[in-house]
Short mmCIF file of all heavy atoms in Angstrom, two decimals:
data_model
loop_
_atom_site.label_atom_id
_atom_site.label_comp_id
_atom_site.label_asym_id
_atom_site.label_seq_id
_atom_site.Cartn_x
_atom_site.Cartn_y
_atom_site.Cartn_z
N LEU A 1 40.71 -30.13 -3.87
CA LEU A 1 40.27 -29.40 -5.05
C LEU A 1 38.78 -29.60 -5.29
O LEU A 1 38.05 -28.65 -5.59
CB LEU A 1 41.09 -29.86 -6.27
CG LEU A 1 40.91 -29.07 -7.55
CD1 LEU A 1 41.30 -27.62 -7.33
CD2 LEU A 1 41.75 -29.68 -8.66
N PHE A 2 38.29 -30.83 -5.11
CA PHE A 2 36.86 -31.11 -5.27
C PHE A 2 36.02 -30.32 -4.27
O PHE A 2 35.00 -29.72 -4.63
CB PHE A 2 36.61 -32.61 -5.11
CG PHE A 2 35.16 -32.99 -5.20
CD1 PHE A 2 34.51 -33.03 -6.42
CD2 PHE A 2 34.44 -33.28 -4.05
CE1 PHE A 2 33.17 -33.35 -6.50
CE2 PHE A 2 33.10 -33.61 -4.12
CZ PHE A 2 32.47 -33.65 -5.35
N VAL A 3 36.45 -30.30 -3.01
CA VAL A 3 35.72 -29.56 -1.97
C VAL A 3 35.74 -28.07 -2.28
O VAL A 3 34.72 -27.37 -2.15
CB VAL A 3 36.31 -29.87 -0.57
CG1 VAL A 3 35.76 -28.93 0.48
CG2 VAL A 3 36.05 -31.31 -0.19
N PHE A 4 36.86 -27.53 -2.72
CA PHE A 4 36.97 -26.11 -3.06
C PHE A 4 36.03 -25.74 -4.20
O PHE A 4 35.30 -24.75 -4.13
CB PHE A 4 38.42 -25.76 -3.42
CG PHE A 4 38.60 -24.33 -3.84
CD1 PHE A 4 38.57 -23.32 -2.91
CD2 PHE A 4 38.77 -24.01 -5.18
CE1 PHE A 4 38.72 -22.00 -3.29
CE2 PHE A 4 38.92 -22.70 -5.58
CZ PHE A 4 38.89 -21.69 -4.63
N ILE A 5 36.00 -26.54 -5.26
CA ILE A 5 35.12 -26.27 -6.40
C ILE A 5 33.66 -26.37 -5.98
O ILE A 5 32.83 -25.54 -6.37
CB ILE A 5 35.44 -27.24 -7.56
CG1 ILE A 5 36.81 -26.89 -8.16
CG2 ILE A 5 34.36 -27.18 -8.64
CD1 ILE A 5 37.31 -27.89 -9.18
N ALA A 6 33.33 -27.36 -5.15
CA ALA A 6 31.94 -27.50 -4.66
C ALA A 6 31.55 -26.27 -3.84
O ALA A 6 30.42 -25.76 -3.97
CB ALA A 6 31.81 -28.76 -3.83
N PHE A 7 32.45 -25.75 -3.02
CA PHE A 7 32.16 -24.57 -2.20
C PHE A 7 31.94 -23.34 -3.09
O PHE A 7 31.01 -22.56 -2.87
CB PHE A 7 33.31 -24.32 -1.22
CG PHE A 7 33.10 -23.12 -0.36
CD1 PHE A 7 32.16 -23.12 0.66
CD2 PHE A 7 33.82 -21.95 -0.59
CE1 PHE A 7 31.95 -22.01 1.43
CE2 PHE A 7 33.61 -20.83 0.18
CZ PHE A 7 32.68 -20.86 1.20
N VAL A 8 32.76 -23.17 -4.10
CA VAL A 8 32.61 -22.03 -5.03
C VAL A 8 31.27 -22.12 -5.76
O VAL A 8 30.55 -21.13 -5.87
CB VAL A 8 33.80 -21.97 -6.02
CG1 VAL A 8 33.52 -20.99 -7.14
CG2 VAL A 8 35.08 -21.61 -5.29
N LEU A 9 30.90 -23.30 -6.23
CA LEU A 9 29.61 -23.47 -6.90
C LEU A 9 28.45 -23.19 -5.97
O LEU A 9 27.47 -22.54 -6.36
CB LEU A 9 29.49 -24.88 -7.47
CG LEU A 9 30.31 -25.18 -8.73
CD1 LEU A 9 30.21 -26.66 -9.10
CD2 LEU A 9 29.86 -24.31 -9.87
N LEU A 10 28.53 -23.63 -4.74
CA LEU A 10 27.48 -23.36 -3.75
C LEU A 10 27.34 -21.86 -3.52
O LEU A 10 26.23 -21.32 -3.47
CB LEU A 10 27.78 -24.09 -2.43
CG LEU A 10 26.78 -23.85 -1.31
CD1 LEU A 10 25.42 -24.44 -1.68
CD2 LEU A 10 27.28 -24.44 -0.01
N ALA A 11 28.47 -21.16 -3.38
CA ALA A 11 28.43 -19.71 -3.17
C ALA A 11 27.80 -19.00 -4.36
O ALA A 11 26.97 -18.09 -4.19
CB ALA A 11 29.84 -19.18 -2.91
N VAL A 12 28.13 -19.40 -5.57
CA VAL A 12 27.54 -18.79 -6.77
C VAL A 12 26.04 -19.01 -6.80
O VAL A 12 25.26 -18.09 -7.07
CB VAL A 12 28.22 -19.36 -8.04
CG1 VAL A 12 27.44 -18.99 -9.29
CG2 VAL A 12 29.65 -18.87 -8.14
N ILE A 13 25.58 -20.21 -6.48
CA ILE A 13 24.15 -20.51 -6.48
C ILE A 13 23.42 -19.71 -5.42
O ILE A 13 22.37 -19.12 -5.68
CB ILE A 13 23.92 -22.03 -6.29
CG1 ILE A 13 24.39 -22.78 -7.54
CG2 ILE A 13 22.46 -22.33 -5.99
CD1 ILE A 13 24.42 -24.29 -7.37
N VAL A 14 23.96 -19.64 -4.21
CA VAL A 14 23.32 -18.89 -3.13
C VAL A 14 23.19 -17.42 -3.49
O VAL A 14 22.13 -16.81 -3.33
CB VAL A 14 24.08 -19.07 -1.80
CG1 VAL A 14 23.63 -18.07 -0.76
CG2 VAL A 14 23.90 -20.48 -1.28
N PHE A 15 24.25 -16.80 -4.00
CA PHE A 15 24.20 -15.38 -4.33
C PHE A 15 23.29 -15.11 -5.52
O PHE A 15 22.62 -14.08 -5.57
CB PHE A 15 25.59 -14.82 -4.58
CG PHE A 15 26.41 -14.70 -3.32
CD1 PHE A 15 27.70 -15.15 -3.27
CD2 PHE A 15 25.87 -14.12 -2.18
CE1 PHE A 15 28.45 -15.05 -2.11
CE2 PHE A 15 26.59 -14.01 -1.02
CZ PHE A 15 27.89 -14.47 -0.98
N SER A 16 23.19 -16.00 -6.47
CA SER A 16 22.32 -15.77 -7.62
C SER A 16 20.85 -15.94 -7.24
O SER A 16 19.99 -15.24 -7.77
CB SER A 16 22.68 -16.69 -8.78
OG SER A 16 22.42 -18.03 -8.44
N ILE A 17 20.54 -16.84 -6.33
CA ILE A 17 19.16 -17.03 -5.89
C ILE A 17 18.69 -15.88 -5.02
O ILE A 17 17.55 -15.46 -5.09
CB ILE A 17 19.01 -18.37 -5.14
CG1 ILE A 17 19.15 -19.53 -6.12
CG2 ILE A 17 17.68 -18.46 -4.42
CD1 ILE A 17 19.17 -20.89 -5.46
N SER A 18 19.56 -15.33 -4.21
CA SER A 18 19.15 -14.34 -3.21
C SER A 18 19.16 -12.91 -3.73
O SER A 18 19.00 -11.99 -2.94
CB SER A 18 20.04 -14.45 -1.98
OG SER A 18 21.37 -14.07 -2.33
N ASP A 19 19.28 -12.67 -5.02
CA ASP A 19 19.31 -11.31 -5.58
C ASP A 19 20.31 -10.45 -4.83
O ASP A 19 19.99 -9.38 -4.32
CB ASP A 19 17.93 -10.66 -5.53
CG ASP A 19 16.99 -11.25 -6.53
OD1 ASP A 19 17.49 -11.80 -7.54
OD2 ASP A 19 15.77 -11.18 -6.32
N PHE A 20 21.49 -10.89 -4.73
CA PHE A 20 22.55 -10.21 -3.98
C PHE A 20 22.92 -8.93 -4.70
O PHE A 20 23.42 -8.95 -5.81
CB PHE A 20 23.75 -11.15 -3.86
CG PHE A 20 24.67 -10.81 -2.75
CD1 PHE A 20 24.27 -10.96 -1.42
CD2 PHE A 20 25.93 -10.33 -3.01
CE1 PHE A 20 25.11 -10.65 -0.40
CE2 PHE A 20 26.79 -10.02 -1.98
CZ PHE A 20 26.39 -10.18 -0.67
N TYR A 21 22.63 -7.76 -4.08
CA TYR A 21 22.78 -6.47 -4.74
C TYR A 21 24.19 -5.89 -4.68
O TYR A 21 24.48 -4.92 -5.34
CB TYR A 21 21.83 -5.44 -4.12
CG TYR A 21 20.40 -5.61 -4.53
CD1 TYR A 21 19.46 -6.13 -3.66
CD2 TYR A 21 19.98 -5.26 -5.80
CE1 TYR A 21 18.14 -6.29 -4.04
CE2 TYR A 21 18.66 -5.41 -6.20
CZ TYR A 21 17.75 -5.93 -5.31
OH TYR A 21 16.45 -6.08 -5.69
N THR A 22 25.08 -6.44 -3.87
CA THR A 22 26.36 -5.79 -3.65
C THR A 22 27.27 -5.82 -4.86
O THR A 22 28.27 -5.11 -4.90
CB THR A 22 27.11 -6.40 -2.46
OG1 THR A 22 27.30 -7.79 -2.72
CG2 THR A 22 26.35 -6.20 -1.17
N ALA A 23 26.96 -6.62 -5.87
CA ALA A 23 27.79 -6.64 -7.07
C ALA A 23 27.60 -5.37 -7.89
O ALA A 23 28.42 -5.04 -8.72
CB ALA A 23 27.46 -7.87 -7.90
N GLN A 24 26.50 -4.64 -7.67
CA GLN A 24 26.20 -3.43 -8.42
C GLN A 24 26.55 -2.21 -7.59
O GLN A 24 26.37 -2.21 -6.37
CB GLN A 24 24.71 -3.38 -8.77
CG GLN A 24 24.22 -4.56 -9.56
CD GLN A 24 22.71 -4.51 -9.74
OE1 GLN A 24 22.04 -3.63 -9.24
NE2 GLN A 24 22.18 -5.48 -10.45
N PRO A 25 27.01 -1.12 -8.24
CA PRO A 25 27.22 0.12 -7.50
C PRO A 25 25.88 0.63 -6.96
O PRO A 25 24.86 0.55 -7.64
CB PRO A 25 27.78 1.08 -8.55
CG PRO A 25 28.19 0.23 -9.69
CD PRO A 25 27.39 -1.03 -9.63
N GLN A 26 25.90 1.15 -5.73
CA GLN A 26 24.66 1.57 -5.07
C GLN A 26 24.83 2.91 -4.37
O GLN A 26 25.95 3.36 -4.16
CB GLN A 26 24.25 0.54 -4.02
CG GLN A 26 24.02 -0.83 -4.55
CD GLN A 26 23.75 -1.81 -3.40
OE1 GLN A 26 24.16 -1.61 -2.27
NE2 GLN A 26 23.04 -2.87 -3.71
N TYR A 27 23.69 3.48 -3.98
CA TYR A 27 23.69 4.63 -3.10
C TYR A 27 22.49 4.52 -2.16
O TYR A 27 21.57 3.75 -2.42
CB TYR A 27 23.69 5.94 -3.89
CG TYR A 27 22.41 6.27 -4.62
CD1 TYR A 27 21.54 7.24 -4.12
CD2 TYR A 27 22.07 5.65 -5.81
CE1 TYR A 27 20.37 7.55 -4.78
CE2 TYR A 27 20.91 5.96 -6.49
CZ TYR A 27 20.06 6.92 -5.96
OH TYR A 27 18.90 7.24 -6.63
N SER A 28 22.51 5.29 -1.08
CA SER A 28 21.46 5.22 -0.06
C SER A 28 20.62 6.48 -0.07
O SER A 28 21.11 7.57 -0.34
CB SER A 28 22.06 5.07 1.33
OG SER A 28 22.70 3.84 1.45
N LEU A 29 19.35 6.32 0.25
CA LEU A 29 18.45 7.44 0.51
C LEU A 29 17.73 7.17 1.82
O LEU A 29 17.59 6.02 2.24
CB LEU A 29 17.39 7.57 -0.59
CG LEU A 29 17.80 8.15 -1.93
CD1 LEU A 29 16.59 8.20 -2.86
CD2 LEU A 29 18.40 9.52 -1.79
N ARG A 30 17.27 8.24 2.45
CA ARG A 30 16.43 8.11 3.63
C ARG A 30 15.00 8.44 3.21
O ARG A 30 14.78 9.39 2.47
CB ARG A 30 16.89 9.06 4.73
CG ARG A 30 18.28 8.75 5.24
CD ARG A 30 18.75 9.75 6.28
NE ARG A 30 18.80 11.09 5.72
CZ ARG A 30 18.31 12.19 6.31
NH1 ARG A 30 17.75 12.11 7.50
NH2 ARG A 30 18.39 13.35 5.73
N VAL A 31 14.05 7.65 3.68
CA VAL A 31 12.64 7.87 3.37
C VAL A 31 11.89 7.93 4.70
O VAL A 31 12.02 7.05 5.53
CB VAL A 31 12.06 6.74 2.48
CG1 VAL A 31 10.62 7.04 2.14
CG2 VAL A 31 12.89 6.57 1.22
N ARG A 32 11.12 8.99 4.89
CA ARG A 32 10.42 9.22 6.16
C ARG A 32 8.92 9.06 5.99
O ARG A 32 8.33 9.59 5.04
CB ARG A 32 10.74 10.62 6.67
CG ARG A 32 10.18 10.90 8.05
CD ARG A 32 10.67 12.22 8.58
NE ARG A 32 12.12 12.15 8.74
CZ ARG A 32 12.89 13.22 8.77
NH1 ARG A 32 12.37 14.41 8.63
NH2 ARG A 32 14.19 13.09 8.93
N PHE A 33 8.30 8.32 6.93
CA PHE A 33 6.86 8.11 6.95
C PHE A 33 6.33 8.37 8.35
O PHE A 33 7.03 8.13 9.33
CB PHE A 33 6.51 6.65 6.60
CG PHE A 33 6.79 6.27 5.18
CD1 PHE A 33 7.96 5.57 4.87
CD2 PHE A 33 5.91 6.57 4.17
CE1 PHE A 33 8.22 5.19 3.57
CE2 PHE A 33 6.17 6.19 2.87
CZ PHE A 33 7.33 5.51 2.57
N SER A 34 5.06 8.80 8.44
CA SER A 34 4.39 8.86 9.74
C SER A 34 3.87 7.49 10.12
O SER A 34 3.72 7.18 11.29
CB SER A 34 3.22 9.85 9.69
OG SER A 34 3.69 11.15 9.47
N PHE A 35 3.58 6.66 9.11
CA PHE A 35 3.03 5.32 9.33
C PHE A 35 3.74 4.38 8.37
O PHE A 35 3.57 4.49 7.15
CB PHE A 35 1.52 5.33 9.09
CG PHE A 35 0.86 4.01 9.32
CD1 PHE A 35 0.70 3.52 10.61
CD2 PHE A 35 0.40 3.25 8.26
CE1 PHE A 35 0.09 2.29 10.83
CE2 PHE A 35 -0.21 2.03 8.47
CZ PHE A 35 -0.36 1.56 9.76
N ALA A 36 4.53 3.45 8.90
CA ALA A 36 5.35 2.57 8.05
C ALA A 36 4.59 1.36 7.52
O ALA A 36 5.14 0.59 6.74
CB ALA A 36 6.59 2.10 8.81
N SER A 37 3.37 1.16 7.94
CA SER A 37 2.48 0.15 7.36
C SER A 37 3.01 -1.28 7.40
O SER A 37 2.64 -2.10 6.59
CB SER A 37 2.16 0.55 5.92
OG SER A 37 1.10 -0.18 5.42
N GLY A 38 3.94 -1.59 8.31
CA GLY A 38 4.42 -2.96 8.47
C GLY A 38 5.52 -3.37 7.52
O GLY A 38 5.83 -4.55 7.41
N VAL A 39 6.14 -2.43 6.83
CA VAL A 39 7.25 -2.77 5.93
C VAL A 39 8.42 -3.26 6.78
O VAL A 39 8.59 -2.82 7.92
CB VAL A 39 7.65 -1.57 5.04
CG1 VAL A 39 8.35 -0.50 5.82
CG2 VAL A 39 8.50 -2.02 3.87
N GLU A 40 9.21 -4.20 6.25
CA GLU A 40 10.30 -4.80 7.02
C GLU A 40 11.64 -4.61 6.32
O GLU A 40 11.69 -4.33 5.12
CB GLU A 40 10.03 -6.29 7.22
CG GLU A 40 8.79 -6.58 8.04
CD GLU A 40 8.52 -8.07 8.19
OE1 GLU A 40 9.26 -8.87 7.59
OE2 GLU A 40 7.57 -8.39 8.91
N VAL A 41 12.71 -4.79 7.08
CA VAL A 41 14.06 -4.74 6.51
C VAL A 41 14.17 -5.85 5.46
O VAL A 41 13.71 -6.96 5.68
CB VAL A 41 15.12 -4.94 7.62
CG1 VAL A 41 16.51 -5.09 7.02
CG2 VAL A 41 15.08 -3.78 8.60
N GLY A 42 14.74 -5.53 4.33
CA GLY A 42 14.87 -6.48 3.24
C GLY A 42 13.75 -6.38 2.22
O GLY A 42 13.80 -7.04 1.18
N ALA A 43 12.73 -5.56 2.51
CA ALA A 43 11.63 -5.40 1.57
C ALA A 43 12.13 -4.74 0.27
O ALA A 43 13.02 -3.90 0.31
CB ALA A 43 10.52 -4.54 2.19
N PRO A 44 11.56 -5.12 -0.86
CA PRO A 44 12.01 -4.53 -2.12
C PRO A 44 11.63 -3.06 -2.23
O PRO A 44 10.66 -2.60 -1.63
CB PRO A 44 11.26 -5.33 -3.19
CG PRO A 44 10.48 -6.37 -2.49
CD PRO A 44 10.56 -6.15 -1.03
N VAL A 45 12.42 -2.34 -3.03
CA VAL A 45 12.11 -0.95 -3.40
C VAL A 45 11.94 -0.95 -4.90
O VAL A 45 12.79 -1.47 -5.63
CB VAL A 45 13.24 0.02 -2.99
CG1 VAL A 45 12.92 1.43 -3.46
CG2 VAL A 45 13.44 0.00 -1.48
N ARG A 46 10.82 -0.40 -5.37
CA ARG A 46 10.54 -0.38 -6.81
C ARG A 46 10.39 1.06 -7.28
O ARG A 46 9.76 1.88 -6.62
CB ARG A 46 9.26 -1.14 -7.10
CG ARG A 46 9.40 -2.61 -6.81
CD ARG A 46 8.16 -3.36 -7.16
NE ARG A 46 8.39 -4.79 -6.94
CZ ARG A 46 7.47 -5.69 -7.02
NH1 ARG A 46 6.24 -5.36 -7.34
NH2 ARG A 46 7.76 -6.95 -6.80
N LEU A 47 10.97 1.31 -8.44
CA LEU A 47 10.85 2.61 -9.11
C LEU A 47 10.09 2.35 -10.39
O LEU A 47 10.54 1.58 -11.23
CB LEU A 47 12.23 3.20 -9.40
CG LEU A 47 12.26 4.48 -10.23
CD1 LEU A 47 11.53 5.61 -9.50
CD2 LEU A 47 13.69 4.89 -10.53
N ALA A 48 8.91 2.97 -10.52
CA ALA A 48 8.05 2.78 -11.70
C ALA A 48 7.76 1.30 -11.91
O ALA A 48 7.68 0.82 -13.04
CB ALA A 48 8.69 3.40 -12.95
#
């Protein structure tokens, strides 16, 4: 029981620190550029 509770707490901490987006409903868009300027997978997307 102690190990199980410790594992659950660790999982909660990891997901809260990493801004885990899957808890929210989402949708996808495609964005096309001629020059991607070095952006990488995992980079933030900001609206306004």
Side-chain angles (χ1 to χ4, degrees):
L1 188 59
F2 177 76
V3 169
F4 177 74
I5 290 172
F7 179 72
V8 169
L9 286 174
L10 178 66
V12 167
I13 291 170
V14 167
F15 288 133
S16 66
I17 290 174
S18 66
D19 288 336
F20 201 68
Y21 284 106
T22 59
Q24 302 174 358
Q26 301 175 335
Y27 70 104
S28 294
L29 285 181
R30 296 177 299 134
V31 183
R32 186 172 297 157
F33 292 99
S34 295
F35 181 73
S37 193
V39 72
E40 296 178 356
V41 172
V45 177
R46 294 183 176 173
L47 174 62

